[in-house]
C-alpha cells in the first residue's frame, strides 16, 4: 500500500503541512491524501531527520499459520518418526520400478511413455520400522516443491542404472539433492543385466563427489535389481541406518501440519487430496486449510490401499483425504485450525490472490551480485553464495572452476551447486529459486522459458564471455564495489 501524506504525518507525529511544504519544495503539490512512492517517502522522512521502515500489514494468514509454523516443540514431546525418502535419477534408470517392487505393486509398466506423471506417496513397514516414500516426477518437481517450502524429503536415493552409469540427469539429480542438503544413498540398479558395470558407475559417482563407502568414502552404494529383487532389503536397511544416524523426530501430540502432494476433483469422487503429515496427528473431523481450500477431514485412507480407512495419521503418514471444498494446490502446506470461520477466511483471502501474486507476496528477494554485500553487512557467520554454472563447453567449466577456487573471502564461501554444458534451462531457474543461487551463463543464453521464469522469480542470470570478468565481478561484489548496472 502506498503511504499517503496523512499516513506519514501520523506515523511521524509531524503536522501534514510540514510534509506538504517539503513536497512543494520538490515541486510536488500534495493534498493530505496524496500517495507517495517509497522513494519519495524516504526522501521526506530524511528531510524530517527520520528513518522509515516499511512494514507489511499482518494478514490473518501470518497471524494464524505462521504462528503455527513457529511453535517450537519441547524436547520431551519429540518422538522418533519414519524418514521420508525420495528417488531421483536419470529417466529409465528404474526409479518407478524400484518403488513398485518395494511396495509390491506395478505402476512402471502402466505409465504412458515410461515417465511417471504423478507424485506418489506411500508408507511401508520393514520389520517394526516404517519408511515413507514421496516420489516426484523428476528432480524439477522435487525442487519446485522445495521452492514452495515443502521440504518433506529427508533422504534422497539416487538411482543409477549399472549398465548406463552416471548420465547428465544423474548429475542434475545429485545437484538437486545436494542443494536440498539431504543425505544421499545410491541405488546401483539393473545389476541383473549382462552389461552392468558397477566399477564404471562408481567412478562416475566419485567424479561427481559421491565417494562410495566401499572405496573409503561416505556414500552408501547399494547394488539392486528391480527385476529380480536383489538388494532391496539391503536398500531398506541402509535407508533405516542413515535415518537412525540423523534421528528424525516430530511431535505427534500437536495439531497437524503437512503438505498436499496432489489433489483431484471430479463429480463422482469429489475432492481427493494426497497428503503427507510432517508433524502432529491428523484426525477425522479436524478443520484443515491448505492454500485456497479448506474443510473438515471427512475420511482418510491408506495411499497403498484405498479400502483401508484410517482414523488418524501421525508424522510422515501418507493419506488420501476427503473433506476439502476445492482441490488444494500441490506442494502447498496444510494446517489444522480450531476455528472453521478462520479457516474459511484464510482460504478465501488466498483464493483472491493469483498464484504469481502469491509468490510475489512472500516478499523474498533473491540474492544478486549487487545486493550480496548488503547481505553480509552485520552478519557474523560466513555466508554461502550458491552458484549454478552453464557454459558452452566442458573446458570452459573447468577453467571457470579453477578461477573460482582462487577467490577467497573471509565472509563468503562460494558453492557451485551445478556446472553443466548448455543453455540455461527452466530446471536451472527452479534450482536457483529453491536454493537462492545466482546463475553464471558463460557463452550461452537462457532458453525463452528460463528467461521468463527468471524474471518472475527474481533469480539473477549473469551472462559472460570472458572468464576473468566473472571472478572480477564476484570479487567486486564481495567487497561491495559492484554498482547496479543502469
Ligand atoms: P524410471 O524412468 O527411472 O522411473 O525407470 P522405470 O522404473 O520406468 O524403468 C525403466 C525401464 O527399465 C523399464 O522398462 C523397467 O522394466 C526397466 N528396469 C527397471 N529396473 C530394472 C532392473 O533392475 N533390471 C532390469 N533388467 N530392468 C529394469
Amino acid at each position: 500500500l502506498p503511504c499517503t501524506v496523512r499516513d506519514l504525518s501520523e506515523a511521524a507525529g509531524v503536522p501534514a503541512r510540514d510534509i506538504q511544504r517539503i513536497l512543494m519544495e520538490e515541486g510536488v503539490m500534495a493534498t493530505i491524501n496524496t500517495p507517495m512512492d517509497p522513494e519519495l517517502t524516504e526522501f521526506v522522512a530524511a528531510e524530517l531527520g527520520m528513518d522509515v521502515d516499511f512494514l507489511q500489514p499482518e494478514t490473518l494468514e501470518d497471524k494464524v499459520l505462521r504462528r503455527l509454523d513457529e511453535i517450537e516443540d519441547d524436547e520431551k514431546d519429540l518422538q522418533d518418526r519414519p524418514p521420508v525418502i525420495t528417488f531421483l535419477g536419470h529417466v529409465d534408470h528404474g526409479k518407478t520400478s524400484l518403488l513398485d517392487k518395494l511396495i509390491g505393486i506395478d505402476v512402471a509398466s502402466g505409465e504412458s511413455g515410461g515417465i511417471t506423471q504423478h507424485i506418489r506417496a506411500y508408507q511401508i513397514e520393514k520389520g517394526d520400522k516404517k519408511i515413507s516414500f514421496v516420489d516426484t516426477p523428476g528432480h524439477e518437481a522435487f525442487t519446485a516443491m522445495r521452492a514452495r517450502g515443502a521440504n518433506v524429503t529427508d533422504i534422497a536415493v539416487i538411482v543409477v542404472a549399472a549398465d548406463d552409469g552416471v548420465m547428465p540427469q544423474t548429475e542434475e539429480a545429485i545437484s538437486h539433492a545436494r542443494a536440498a542438503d539431504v543425505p544421499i544413498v545410491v541405488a546401483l540398479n539393473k545389476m541383473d543385466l549382462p552389461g552392468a558395470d558397477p566399477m564404471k558407475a562408481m567412478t562416475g559417482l566419485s567424479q561427481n563427489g559421491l565417494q562410495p563407502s566401499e572405496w573409503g568414502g561416505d556414500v552408501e552404494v547399494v547394488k539392486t535389481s528391480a527385476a529380480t529383487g536383489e538388494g532391496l532389503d539391503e536398500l531398506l536397511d541402509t535407508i533405516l541406518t542413515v535415518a537412525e544416524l540423523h534421528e528424525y523426530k516430530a511431535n505427534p501430540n500437536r495439531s497437524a501440519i503437512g503438505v498436499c502432494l496432489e489433489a483431484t476433483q471430479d463429480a463422482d469422487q469429489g475432492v481427493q487430496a494426497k497428503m503427507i503429515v510432517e508433524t502432529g496427528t491428523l484426525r477425522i473431523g479436524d478443520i484443515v486449510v491448505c492454500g485456497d481450500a479448506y474443510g473438515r477431514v471427512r475420511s482418510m485412507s491408506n495411499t497403498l490401499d484405498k479400502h483401508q480407512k484410517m482414523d488418524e495419521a501421525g508424522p510422515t503418514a501418507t493419506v488420501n483425504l476427503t473433506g476439502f471444498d476445492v482441490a488444494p494446490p500441490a506442494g502447498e502446506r496444510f494446517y489444522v485450525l480450531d476455528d472453521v470461520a478462520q479457516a474459511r477466511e484464510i482460504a478465501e483471502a488466498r483464493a483472491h490472490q493469483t498464484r504469481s501474486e502469491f509468490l510475489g507476496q512472500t516478499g523474498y528477494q533473491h540474492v544478486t551480485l549487487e545486493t550480496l554485500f548488503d547481505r553480509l553487512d552485520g552478519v557474523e557467520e560466513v555466508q554461502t553464495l550458491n552458484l549454478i554454472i552453464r557454459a558452452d563447453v566442458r573446458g570452459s567449466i573447468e577453467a571457470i572452476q579453477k578461477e573460482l577456487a582462487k577467490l577467497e573471502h573471509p565472509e563468503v564461501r562460494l558453492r557451485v551447486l551445478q556446472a553443466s554444458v548448455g543453455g540455461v534451462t527452466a530446471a536451472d531457474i527452479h534450482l536457483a529459486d529453491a536454493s537462492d543461487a545466482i546463475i553464471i551463463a558463460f557463452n550461452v543464453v537462457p532458453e525463452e522459458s528460463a528467461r521468463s521464469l527468471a524474471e518472475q522469480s527474481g533469480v539473477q542470470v549473469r551472462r559472460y564471455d570472458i572468464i576473468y570478468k566473472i571472478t572480477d565481478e564476484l570479487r567486486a561484489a564481495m567487497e561491495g564495489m559492484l554498482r547496479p548496472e543502469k
Side-chain angles (χ1 to χ4, degrees):
L1 285 177
C3 173
T4 64
V5 170
R6 176 188 281 120
D7 294 337
L8 184 62
S9 149
E10 284 171 3
V14 170
R17 60 176 182 280
D18 290 358
I19 295 170
Q20 285 168 307
R21 188 174 36 76
I22 294 168
L23 289 171
M24 181 92 85
E25 281 162 14
E26 289 304 299
V28 180
M29 297 289 287
T31 71
I32 190 155
N33 291 318
T34 300
M36 298 177 290
D37 63 20
E39 232 172 39
L40 190 57
T41 310
E42 270 175 358
F43 172 79
V44 174
E47 289 288 295
L48 295 168
M50 295 178 187
D51 267 343
V52 278
D53 232 348
F54 296 97
L55 301 176
Q56 292 285 345
E58 193 179 44
T59 61
L60 184 64
E61 179 183 332
D62 292 330
K63 220 179 267 165
V64 179
L65 304 189
R66 297 291 84 81
R67 226 141 273 180
L68 285 173
D69 271 335
E70 284 162 10
I71 294 177
E72 294 255 358
D73 292 304
D74 247 346
E75 195 67 32
K76 64 172 169 29
D77 297 327
L78 293 174
Q79 295 180 20
D80 288 339
R81 62 164 177 82
V84 183
I85 313 304
T86 297
F87 284 110
L88 297 171
H90 195 76
V91 69
D92 276 349
H93 280 197
K95 290 188 323 142
T96 314
S97 309
L98 277 175
L99 187 53
D100 280 0
K101 195 79 182 180
L102 286 173
I103 60 180
I105 61 167
D106 184 7
V107 169
S109 59
E111 282 288 336
S112 57
I115 296 170
T116 314
Q117 304 290 347
H118 296 281
I119 296 188
R120 303 166 70 198
Y122 311 100
Q123 191 170 60
I124 64 163
E125 284 176 23
K126 162 85 176 149
D128 60 350
K129 296 273 171 51
K130 289 178 176 161
I131 304 178
S132 299
F133 291 94
V134 170
D135 202 30
T136 55
H139 44 247
E140 251 186 82
F142 168 77
T143 292
M145 285 209 359
R146 211 158 63 71
R148 305 191 69 187
N151 303 318
V152 291
T153 302
D154 297 312
I155 300 171
V157 174
I158 306 272
V159 179
V160 183
D163 60 332
D164 226 9
V166 170
M167 299 297 278
Q169 280 175 42
T170 317
E171 293 184 355
E172 279 184 35
I174 294 169
S175 312
H176 284 244
R178 260 209 200 108
D181 258 332
V182 293
I184 293 173
V185 169
V186 175
L188 201 49
N189 191 39
K190 305 202 185 184
M191 284 300 292
D192 60 294
L193 291 179
D197 186 349
M199 289 305 263
K200 184 180 135 220
M202 291 206 287
T203 304
L205 287 168
S206 50
Q207 278 164 355
N208 282 278
L210 296 184
Q211 287 298 336
S213 60
E214 62 181 85
W215 290 0
D218 57 359
V219 177
E220 296 301 330
V221 177
V222 184
K223 299 189 175 83
T224 61
S225 163
T228 67
E230 174 197 340
L232 292 192
D233 261 341
E234 198 193 327
L235 181 60
L236 294 182
D237 287 337
T238 305
I239 287 169
L240 286 171
T241 308
V242 173
E244 239 162 68
L245 220 64
H246 286 81
E247 300 188 325
Y248 301 113
K249 290 187 190 298
N251 175 9
N253 300 310
R254 54 170 287 175
S255 60
I257 297 179
V259 172
C260 169
L261 300 168
E262 204 164 62
T264 55
Q265 181 164 20
D266 65 43
D268 289 346
Q269 313 253 351
V271 177
Q272 301 258 352
K274 193 186 294 172
M275 315 283 244
I276 182 162
V277 178
E278 293 177 288
T279 188
T281 298
L282 188 61
R283 295 191 171 81
I284 303 284
D286 276 351
I287 298 158
V288 279
V289 61
C290 182
D292 56 354
Y294 81 102
R296 255 177 215 282
V297 178
R298 193 159 57 227
S299 75
M300 289 192 287
S301 61
N302 191 315
T303 51
L304 272 170
D305 172 10
K306 66 170 191 266
H307 301 295
Q308 196 184 324
K309 299 291 176 204
M310 296 161 74
D311 293 330
E312 52 175 53
T316 84
T318 57
V319 294
N320 282 326
L321 176 151
T322 65
F324 279 113
D325 59 338
V326 293
E332 192 70 58
R333 303 189 80 196
F334 73 80
Y335 299 83
V336 169
L337 304 184
D338 296 329
D339 180 353
V340 74
Q342 223 170 43
R344 184 193 307 121
E345 199 178 323
I346 291 173
E348 281 171 359
R350 288 226 183 133
H352 281 118
Q353 301 166 341
T354 65
R355 189 183 136 70
S356 63
E357 277 173 330
F358 181 52
L359 287 176
Q361 251 229 341
T362 60
Y364 188 77
Q365 294 281 318
H366 282 301
V367 67
T368 63
L369 283 194
E370 290 83 1
T371 58
L372 174 66
F373 188 72
D374 292 336
R375 281 215 193 179
L376 300 176
D377 204 19
V379 183
E380 296 283 311
E381 70 269 37
V382 175
Q383 298 279 296
T384 301
L385 176 62
N386 288 325
L387 298 175
I388 293 171
I389 301 172
R390 278 284 184 178
D392 49 349
V393 290
R394 201 85 235 162
S396 307
I397 292 179
E398 281 155 18
I400 292 167
Q401 286 188 317
K402 218 165 112 196
E403 286 306 307
L404 290 180
K406 293 187 200 153
L407 265 183
E408 274 185 17
H409 191 277
E411 286 164 27
V412 192
R413 188 171 65 100
L414 294 178
R415 177 174 180 236
V416 177
L417 292 179
Q418 178 167 303
S420 40
V421 171
V424 180
T425 66
D428 295 339
I429 307 291
H430 282 304
L431 180 60
D433 188 18
S435 322
D436 197 17
I438 290 174
I439 300 183
I440 305 276
F442 184 77
N443 276 337
V444 293
V445 295
E447 292 169 3
E448 190 49 47
S449 59
R451 195 171 318 186
S452 54
L453 203 58
E455 219 156 85
Q456 265 172 40
S457 56
V459 166
Q460 189 170 48
V461 180
R462 297 191 75 98
R463 290 172 55 187
Y464 295 94
D465 49 15
I466 304 172
I467 289 177
Y468 74 77
K469 263 222 142 132
I470 302 175
T471 42
D472 273 3
E473 287 201 4
L474 280 170
R475 190 176 293 117
M478 290 169 175
E479 303 300 335
M481 303 300 285
L482 194 70
R483 294 281 150 243
E485 283 169 33
K486 285 283 166 199

